[in-house]
C-alpha cells in the first residue's frame, strides 16, 4: 500500500484534495489533526477521505506547544488533556495511529519524570482505546531515546522520518535502534541542510540504503510520503501527485529487490 500526507503544496478544497490523491493511485492518506493551518473543519477529513476511497493511515498531532510537555506549568497540564482528547478522537473516528513529536527546536526543556509520566498517561489511554502512538525522530534524538527506553508497550512505536534523519542526525542509525518498533513512515528528501520535504530522489538521501534498512527491520506497512511540490510548483496538482506516486512506487520496488 502507498499513502501520502493530505497537504502537498496546493490550496485545494479537502474533498478535491482527497479525490485527486485517490485518482493518482494512492491507497490511503495521513491527516493533520489541528486547525493550526486554517482548517477549522479538520474533523470531517476522515469521512471525506473515506468517501474518496482512501483509508486513513494515521493523524499527525500538533507540535507547536509540545515543549510544555516537559514543563511543570498549566500549559503542560492543558497539553496532556488535549492529547488524551486526541486519543479519544482517534477511537471515535476510527483512526488507528497518532503520530507525536516529543520536542521542538534546538533548545527544548530537559526531559524529565514529569513529562514521562504525562506520556505514560497518554499511553494508558491509548492502550484502553486500541490506538497506536508513533513517536517521530526529530533534531533531538535523545528525547526519543529517553521515552522509548522507558515505555514498553505494544501501542508505542516509532515513526521514521527520512528527511529529519538526513538533515538532523545522519550519524545515528535510527532504523537499527528502533526498527523492531517501526509503526509508520514519513518519506521525503532534502540536501542535508534543512527539512525541505522534497520528492524522494530530488535530494541527497541514499534511498537504496534507506529502503534496505526499512526492509531489514521487517516493516510491512504503507509506503507513506510526506513530500511537497518544492521544485515542481509549475505542475498542476494532479500531475504532481502522479509524479509523487511514481516516486513512491520506486521506493517500494527498492524494498522488493533487497
Amino acid at each position: 500500500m502507498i499513502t501520502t500526507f493530505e497537504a502537498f503544496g496546493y490550496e485545494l478544497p479537502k474533498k478535491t484534495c482527497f479525490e485527486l490523491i485517490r485518482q493518482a493511485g494512492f491507497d490511503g492518506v495521513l491527516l493533520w489533526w489541528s486547525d493550526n493551518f486554517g482548517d477549522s473543519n479538520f474533523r470531517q477529513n476522515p469521512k471525506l477521505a473515506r468517501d474518496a476511497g482512501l483509508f486513513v493511515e494515521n493523524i499527525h498531532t500538533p507540535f507547536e506547544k509540545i515543549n510544555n510537555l516537559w514543563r511543570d506549568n498549566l500549559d503542560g497540564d492543558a497539553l496532556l488533556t488535549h492529547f488524551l482528547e486526541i486519543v479519544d478522537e482517534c477511537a471515535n473516528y476510527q483512526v488507528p495511529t497518532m503520530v507525536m513529536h516529543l520536542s521542538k527546536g534546538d533548545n527544548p526543556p530537559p526531559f524529565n519524570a514529569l513529562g514521562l509520566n504525562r506520556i505514560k498517561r497518554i499511553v494508558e489511554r491509548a492502550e484502553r482505546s486500541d490506538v497506536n502512538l508513533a513517536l517521530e525522530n526529530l533534531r533531538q534524538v535523545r528525547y526519543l531515546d529517553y521515552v522509548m527506553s522507558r515505555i514498553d508497550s505494544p501501542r508505542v512505536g516509532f515513526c521514521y522520518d527520512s528527511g529529519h534523519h538526513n538533515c538532523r542526525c545522519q550519524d545515528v542509525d535510527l532504523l537499527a535502534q528502533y526498527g523492531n518498533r517501526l509503526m509508520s513512515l514519513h518519506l521525503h528528501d532534502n540536501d542535508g541542510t534543512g527539512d525541505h520535504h522534497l520528492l524522494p530522489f530530488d535530494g541527497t538521501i541514499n534511498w537504496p540504503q534507506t529502503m534496505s534498512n526499512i526492509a531489514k527491520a521487517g516493516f510491512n506497512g504503507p509506503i507513506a510520503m510526506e513530500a511537497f511540490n518544492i521544485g515542481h510548483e509549475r505542475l498542476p496538482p494532479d500531475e504532481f501527485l502522479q509524479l509523487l506516486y511514481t516516486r513512491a512506487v520506486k521506493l517500494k520496488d527498492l524494498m522488493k529487490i533487497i
Side-chain angles (χ1 to χ4, degrees), residues 77-142:
D77 295 338
L79 189 66
L80 169 61
T81 298
H82 184 51
F83 273 98
L84 294 174
E85 291 170 349
I86 292 177
V87 174
D88 293 341
E89 289 181 324
C90 282
N92 291 338
Y93 290 95
Q94 298 179 308
V95 177
T97 302
M98 53 189 282
V99 175
M100 180 177 173
H101 287 194
L102 292 174
S103 65
K104 184 177 185 296
D106 291 318
N107 297 293
F111 47 75
N112 53 58
L114 173 63
L116 182 66
N117 287 333
R118 285 172 171 156
I119 297 168
K120 286 180 177 179
R121 288 187 59 188
I122 297 168
V123 172
E124 290 167 0
R125 181 74 64 90
E127 289 173 339
R128 293 196 300 270
S129 304
D130 294 330
V131 172
N132 297 319
L133 180 64
L135 305 178
E136 185 173 347
N137 58 288
L138 304 161
R139 67 186 70 190
Q140 303 290 344
V141 179
R142 64 185 189 276

Side-chain angles (χ1 to χ4, degrees), residues 7-9 139 161-168 170 186-200 202-205 207 226-233 240:
F8 45 91
R139 67 186 70 190
D161 189 297
S162 61
H164 295 167
H165 193 188
N166 192 55
C167 69
R168 304 299 187 192
Q170 286 188 24
H186 284 172
L187 300 179
H188 53 103
D189 214 332
N190 59 61
D191 64 3
T193 66
D195 187 24
H196 304 135
H197 287 262
L198 304 177
L199 281 175
D202 281 3
T204 61
I205 290 177
W207 287 107
E226 200 188 35
F228 302 119
N229 65 336
I230 299 170
H232 303 276
E233 293 89 347
F240 173 74

